[in-house]
Amino acid sequence: MRISDVFVSYRRKDIELVEQLSAAFAEREREVWLDWEDIPPGVSDLNREIAAGIEGADSFIAVLSPDYLASDYCLNELRYAHELNKRIIPVVYRTVDGIEVPEFIRPINWVYFMPHAGRAYEFASAFEALLRAMDTDHDHVREHTRLLTRAGDWENNKRNPSFFLSGDDLDAAEKWLASASSRSPPPADIHTEFILQSRKAQARRQRRLLGGALVLLVLAVAGLVAAVIAGLEARATQS
């Protein structure tokens, strides 16, 4: 699954800001997921493509406006990002004062691309604030995304064991999980389950390998004993 720096969720009426953001991200060499660029023509499952885009993005930007908050489709994207414990950054393009917003985004520090509270918030300064929010604890967030995409591949392939983590990759994932619960964003449930099941699968493989090695050892010892006995019997016969 492709990993990007940011997924932008928006209404078409707010396309002017989204185009500005897209160009600014390109100048900073940031990989941005946008539905007009990243969904192939004729794709059979549009919702799955969008879900994959959210799963594979380090940050999720919600371009808030009255039209965005009136759209069940946009709100479903936002809720899915929340379910995955994605880093969500609300961006305000048109005032939403007096409009109900999802409770889970209320405590987040919103980034304003419009005048607010007596400040102008020009595009350049607002964009720098947006980048700072995206770049906070970047290594943790990138690992959050990488492991989420690995877990998603496992889930989407009927939990096929061939998708499990193993070896050093599993060790590193467990260390990340141990420290991630106190960081932002925290791991999602699928992270925990995927890493736990990967460890169980590796333990089973190791037990099978150990069992096979013990069988070979017993057979080898039995063969050696048989050879020694045969040698002793041969010498006794000769004497």
Side-chain angles (χ1 to χ4, degrees), residues 82-101:
H82 176 62
E83 289 172 8
L84 298 176
N85 284 350
K86 283 290 177 181
R87 168 166 286 165
I88 296 174
I89 307 173
V91 161
V92 185
Y93 181 49
R94 290 185 284 133
T95 183
V96 294
D97 292 345
I99 300 175
E100 184 177 357
V101 300

Side-chain angles (χ1 to χ4, degrees), residues 8-64:
V8 181
S9 176
Y10 66 99
R11 283 300 298 271
R12 295 291 175 182
K13 289 185 178 181
D14 302 320
I15 193 68
E16 182 178 351
L17 175 65
V18 176
E19 289 175 339
Q20 286 182 280
L21 289 173
S22 178
F25 281 131
E27 288 179 2
R28 298 297 185 94
E29 298 183 342
R30 303 299 180 97
E31 186 74 19
V32 57
W33 198 101
L34 285 164
D35 55 6
W36 77 67
E37 296 178 349
D38 295 281
I39 298 179
V43 67
S44 60
D45 191 344
L46 178 63
N47 289 335
R48 181 59 236 161
E49 289 292 326
I50 291 175
I54 296 171
E55 292 161 10
D58 289 341
S59 297
F60 178 97
I61 291 177
V63 180
L64 300 183

